[in-house]
Amino acid sequence: MIIKSLPEMVAISHDTAAAMLYRLMFQHERNISVLDTYADQLLDGLCGIGSKYDEIDYKNYFSI
């Protein structure tokens, strides 16, 4: 079993959150609480460890 580094594990978590956020946006979800749950994970990535795509994904969230 290979133990991944913390930054890699966080990046995977953020990529998963972004995928779910895009899925919800595509389905026209309007419950802001549900959307913010996933968007907050991306925002955390902008402030520290995260995926290299967090900024792009977070900007796309605001364009809906």
Side-chain angles (χ1 to χ4, degrees):
M1 174 185 231
I2 299 173
I3 298 175
K4 297 181 180 186
S5 66
L6 179 61
E8 187 177 351
M9 288 173 43
V10 171
I12 290 169
S13 172
H14 288 198
D15 287 344
T16 303
M20 189 62 185
L21 183 62
Y22 281 116
R23 183 176 297 129
L24 290 168
M25 291 187 316
F26 180 73
Q27 295 172 348
H28 304 288
E29 175 65 52
R30 295 295 174 212
N31 185 338
I32 196 70
S33 296
V34 172
L35 294 169
D36 274 348
T37 299
Y38 296 102
D40 285 346
Q41 290 181 28
L42 300 177
L43 182 60
D44 290 343
L46 295 175
C47 301
I49 302 171
S51 171
K52 63 182 178 179
Y53 301 109
D54 284 346
E55 183 176 359
I56 295 166
D57 294 333
Y58 197 72
K59 286 180 181 179
N60 288 337
Y61 168 61
F62 280 110
S63 69
I64 60 169

